[in-house]
Amino acid sequence: MSRRLRADSSPRRLFEPARVLSQAEAESLAKRIVGFSQADSCRVSLQSSARGNTRFAVNQVSTSGDNEDVSVRVRVTVGKKVGAASTNRLDDEGLRQVVQVAERIARLQPDDPELMPELGPQQYTRVDAFHAATAAAEPQQRADIVRKVTEASRAAGLSATGYLEVVTAATAIANSAGLFAYHRSTDCAFTTTVRTADGAGSGWAGAAARDIGAIDGAALAATAIDKARRSLNAVAIEPGRYTVVLEPTAVGNLVQLMAFATNARQADEGRSFFSKPGGGTKIGLKVVDERVTLRSDPQDAIAPGVPFDGDGLPTRNVTWIENGTVKELGYDRFWAGRKGVAPVVLPGTLQMSGGSQSVQDMIASTERGILVTRFWYIRPVDPRTILYTGLTRDGTFLIERGRVTRAIKNLRFNESPVFLLNNIEALGQPQRVSASESGSAGIPIVVPAVKARDFTFTSLSDAV
């Protein structure tokens, strides 16, 4: 029997491993699209992704799906007018149409006074953000990870719900000035909420990594189950200012908001926390505890980023805050030219410095305080202080005389990461967290647990 015949007679697989555009395929496709344009300039952005997800509820898988797609975005300029259109049709007729639509839109637009010319060829540093085992992960592998949570929860008489997503992606940019950039990556995020049978107790655990092998379903199950059990019989406490021990996910929920505010133009125009009283920015000024350093390193091994931004500009290692002092802010090409500085790409990844204390060390040193697993439903209040409001969720506990004594009802906070990072009492070892509200991996973040004083809670919530 020939090898071909043996292969044909074997059971037909219903699943094919994730596949995204290779660099050669992306470059060929982009060049083909640019070639259809008659505009003064043309930029093509390609997003190629293969996503697999498994949802589960009441200790059983509810859905399992896989999706592959290639999206094409075309941006053209006609004089100083800009037009854009997108499609996922990859045949010549579809690609010609999307270019023509973008060109028609451009001719209808007013001039863009801040239009910048397309970048020519750039030099990029390779970022290793791809893990072959993640790209090859099959639905059965996702189900095996989920089963570690559902079976442990069922055995404990609890109910687990959650979401596991595995993403393989390739991003490419090309333009009519000869620029081409390509990057591929993998990400995996797993979050679970475990509830008690009466629905009154809730525990959460989550993790994100580029390597699916780093997602430890058994460990996450143990954490969520333990929190759910301990969160029963929650009591109300008076809102107010408390010493808090924030687990790393809660820190990531808040500190990423500070990174999102590092926009130099907003600071120069007086619309930001980073605006200096009397004009200018706070670059060079101390704004948080000197133990705090925030940086974005696209080549970080745990939380890698992307080697270029949406213009095709190379990213680099940027230290936004060093030892509490503002070192850099983000400048797009237009604003950098206006200010006579080099452009600085805004963060696509974030790393925060830490210390040596464990969460248990922090609890042991707390006379009275609150242990927070994570925050939820976080919404902006005041951009000039980076003030946000939101809720604790899935494991909020009272600390008394150096130990966790009881579960407490959830609380609404009104707080800024700036205040949090000014009131630090202790820092833990940084670790990657899943800080996205959606359950997807979100931007890669590495942060420590934090013990801080005077954290402001404004009201109680009956939500579990």
Side-chain angles (χ1 to χ4, degrees), residues 201-390:
S202 178
W204 180 91
R210 67 187 176 95
D211 175 11
I212 191 171
I215 303 297
D216 188 341
L220 295 177
T223 298
I225 288 171
D226 175 61
K227 286 181 180 290
R229 284 171 165 161
R230 291 193 291 127
S231 64
L232 279 171
N233 304 315
V235 298
I237 65 169
E238 284 292 324
R241 288 187 172 181
Y242 286 85
T243 293
V244 290
V245 176
L246 305 183
E247 294 190 2
T249 299
V251 175
N253 293 146
L254 289 183
V255 171
Q256 66 178 336
L257 305 173
M258 192 164 183
F260 296 156
T262 55
N263 181 289
R265 182 171 187 171
Q266 293 174 1
D268 281 319
E269 294 178 343
R271 298 182 285 124
S272 160
F273 163 76
F274 293 103
S275 302
K276 185 178 179 181
T281 75
K282 290 182 178 174
I283 290 178
L285 297 182
K286 183 173 177 296
V287 297
V288 293
D289 189 288
E290 64 185 14
R291 288 170 286 182
V292 174
T293 293
L294 297 177
R295 62 188 178 88
S296 294
D297 181 1
Q299 293 186 291
D300 186 271
I302 300 174
V306 179
F308 48 86
D309 73 350
D311 281 359
L313 198 67
T315 56
R316 61 179 174 83
N317 189 345
V318 179
T319 299
W320 307 100
I321 292 176
E322 185 175 52
N323 301 328
T325 298
V326 181
K327 301 296 288 186
E328 290 200 71
L329 295 174
Y331 288 82
D332 62 26
R333 289 196 292 143
F334 171 78
W335 200 247
R338 176 74 69 87
K339 293 296 178 180
V341 299
V344 180
V345 177
L346 286 168
T349 178
L350 181 67
Q351 295 87 32
M352 177 179 164
S353 56
S356 59
Q357 290 209 16
S358 68
V359 170
Q360 288 306 316
D361 292 336
M362 297 178 192
I363 292 171
S365 64
T366 302
E367 179 62 22
R368 193 167 193 270
I370 295 174
L371 172 64
V372 178
T373 297
R374 67 165 178 150
F375 295 114
W376 175 255
Y377 205 37
I378 303 168
R379 296 296 180 267
V381 177
D382 177 15
R384 294 211 280 188
T385 57
I386 320 182
L387 182 66
Y388 278 78
T389 187

